[in-house]
Amino acid sequence: MKINKEKIGKNVITISLATAGIISTTTGIILNKMEFTPSKVKVTITEKRIAKKKTNIPKLKEIEVEVNMPISVNINDYIENIEEIDEKILKKFKLDTSLVNGKEPGTYTYTISYKDKKYNGNIIVKEKELPNIESMTLKEINIEKNTALPKNLNDYIVEDIPEEARDKIIIDTSKVNISIASTYQYTVTYKDKIYTGKITVFEPQSVIKEENKPTKEEEKDKEEQKEPEKTPEPQPTPTEPDNKDEDKNNKDETNS
C-alpha cells in the first residue's frame, strides 16, 4: 500500500491552521470577558551633560567707556569666553591698559598676555552724552566799528544753556569784519544743528558830551563877570606951527 505523503502533508497543515484559528478566537473571547488594566510605566529622560572644553585662548570684548570715566582693572570684564578659561590659567593672565587715554575720545588698544602670547582688544572712549536742546534763539548784535566782538555765550543766545553743554557750542564769527561798517552773519553750532544770526557793524558818531557843555547859569555868570568896554576919550586936533616968528628971526640974523 502506497502512502501519499503530499496529501498527508496538506491535511496536517490544514488541521494546524484550523486549530490555531480556534485557539485565537477562544483567547479573544476570554480576554474580552476579563477586566484588563494596563500597568503604568514611568519613563525618565535624562540629559547628558557634556563638560565644556577648557581653553587658554581668551576671546576679548570691545569695551566702551565715557570720557573721564574710570577704566576697569578686573580682567574678567574683558574676556567674553570666561567660562571656557581654566581658572588656574585665568589667574596667570595679565591686563595692560597703559595705551588708553581716558581723557580724550578715540579708539585705543588693550592687551591680555599669557606666557609669551599677547591678545589685543579695543577700548572706545566716547564723548559724554550731551543734553538735548530743542532750539536756540540768536540775538541781533550791534557793535561800533573797530570794536571787539562779544565773547560771552549769553551775548549771542537768548536761552539759558546747561553748563555741561556750554563747552560744546561753537560760535563762528569769521565772516564779520569789524573794520568795515556793514551787516554780517554769524553761526552757532550744537551737535548737528546750525543756527544763524546777524551782527551789524556801524560807523561811530561824534556826540558832544553834555558834561562838558556849560549850563545856562554858568554862561550868565561869565557874561556878568566881563568888564564893560571903555569909550575912548576924544583926542585934540593937532595945529600947524606959527612960521611968522621964524621968518622974523631969520631977518634979524641977516641984518646983523
Side-chain angles (χ1 to χ4, degrees):
M1 183 176 178
K2 293 182 179 179
I3 300 173
N4 192 343
K5 294 181 180 180
E6 184 178 351
K7 188 176 181 180
I8 293 172
K10 290 181 179 179
N11 292 333
V12 171
I13 294 171
T14 302
I15 295 169
S16 298
L17 292 172
T19 304
I22 294 169
I23 293 171
S24 298
T25 303
T26 306
T27 304
I29 294 170
I30 294 170
L31 288 174
N32 286 333
K33 291 184 178 181
M34 292 175 63
E35 185 177 352
F36 178 75
T37 304
S39 60
K40 295 181 179 180
V41 179
K42 186 177 181 180
V43 179
T44 303
I45 300 174
T46 58
E47 181 182 356
K48 186 178 180 180
R49 294 185 178 180
I50 300 175
K52 291 185 177 180
K53 185 180 179 181
K54 297 294 182 179
T55 180
N56 60 352
I57 301 176
K59 294 179 182 178
L60 304 187
K61 298 178 182 178
E62 186 174 81
I63 309 297
E64 289 188 0
V65 294
E66 285 188 352
V67 67
N68 294 325
M69 294 298 292
I71 299 172
S72 173
V73 294
N74 187 351
I75 200 167
N76 293 359
D77 295 335
Y78 296 85
I79 301 175
E80 189 172 349
N81 60 334
I82 191 73
E83 295 179 357
E84 298 176 8
I85 305 296
D86 189 281
E87 291 183 3
K88 293 180 180 178
I89 296 175
L90 183 62
K91 292 179 181 179
K92 296 180 181 180
F93 283 169
K94 293 181 180 179
L95 173 66
D96 182 9
T97 60
S98 60
L99 297 177
V100 181
N101 185 357
K103 297 180 180 179
E104 292 291 335
T107 301
Y108 302 91
T109 300
Y110 71 92
T111 302
I112 289 179
S113 57
Y114 172 66
K115 292 185 177 180
D116 58 344
K117 294 182 179 180
K118 292 185 177 181
Y119 306 93
N120 295 326
N122 291 330
I123 293 180
I124 299 174
V125 180
K126 59 182 183 179
E127 290 280 4
K128 188 176 181 180
E129 191 66 27
L130 296 174
N132 289 326
I133 299 177
E134 295 298 330
S135 63
M136 290 185 191
T137 307
L138 303 190
K139 298 179 179 179
E140 290 192 8
I141 300 171
N142 297 314
I143 62 169
E144 190 176 297
K145 181 181 175 181
N146 295 323
T147 302
L149 291 168
K151 295 181 179 180
N152 196 330
L153 196 65
N154 295 335
D155 293 329
Y156 294 90
I157 303 172
V158 174
E159 291 83 5
D160 291 330
I161 303 300
E163 193 64 33
E164 57 270 26
R166 297 178 73 87
D167 292 339
K168 302 303 177 183
I169 293 177
I170 300 172
I171 299 175
D172 183 6
T173 58
S174 60
K175 295 182 179 179
V176 181
N177 188 348
I178 60 173
S179 62
I180 299 177
S182 184
T183 299
Y184 304 90
Q185 285 188 341
Y186 71 95
T187 60
V188 173
T189 304
Y190 179 70
K191 288 187 174 181
D192 297 329
K193 295 182 179 179
I194 300 176
Y195 306 87
T196 303
K198 291 182 180 180
I199 294 178
T200 299
V201 179
F202 60 87
E203 291 281 357
Q205 297 177 354
S206 57
V207 180
I208 299 175
K209 294 183 179 180
E210 293 294 332
E211 58 186 14
N212 295 332
K213 187 178 179 181
T215 62
K216 291 182 178 180
E217 293 181 356
E218 291 174 344
E219 290 179 351
K220 185 177 180 181
D221 291 340
K222 286 183 179 180
E223 291 293 332
E224 291 178 354
Q225 291 175 3
K226 287 181 179 180
E227 294 183 0
E229 294 182 358
K230 295 181 178 180
T231 304
E233 295 180 358
Q235 297 294 328
T237 303
T239 57
E240 294 181 358
D242 191 2
N243 294 329
K244 293 181 179 180
D245 294 335
E246 289 183 2
D247 292 338
K248 185 178 179 181
N249 292 330
N250 289 332
K251 287 181 178 180
D252 293 338
E253 289 178 358
T254 303
N255 294 325
S256 47

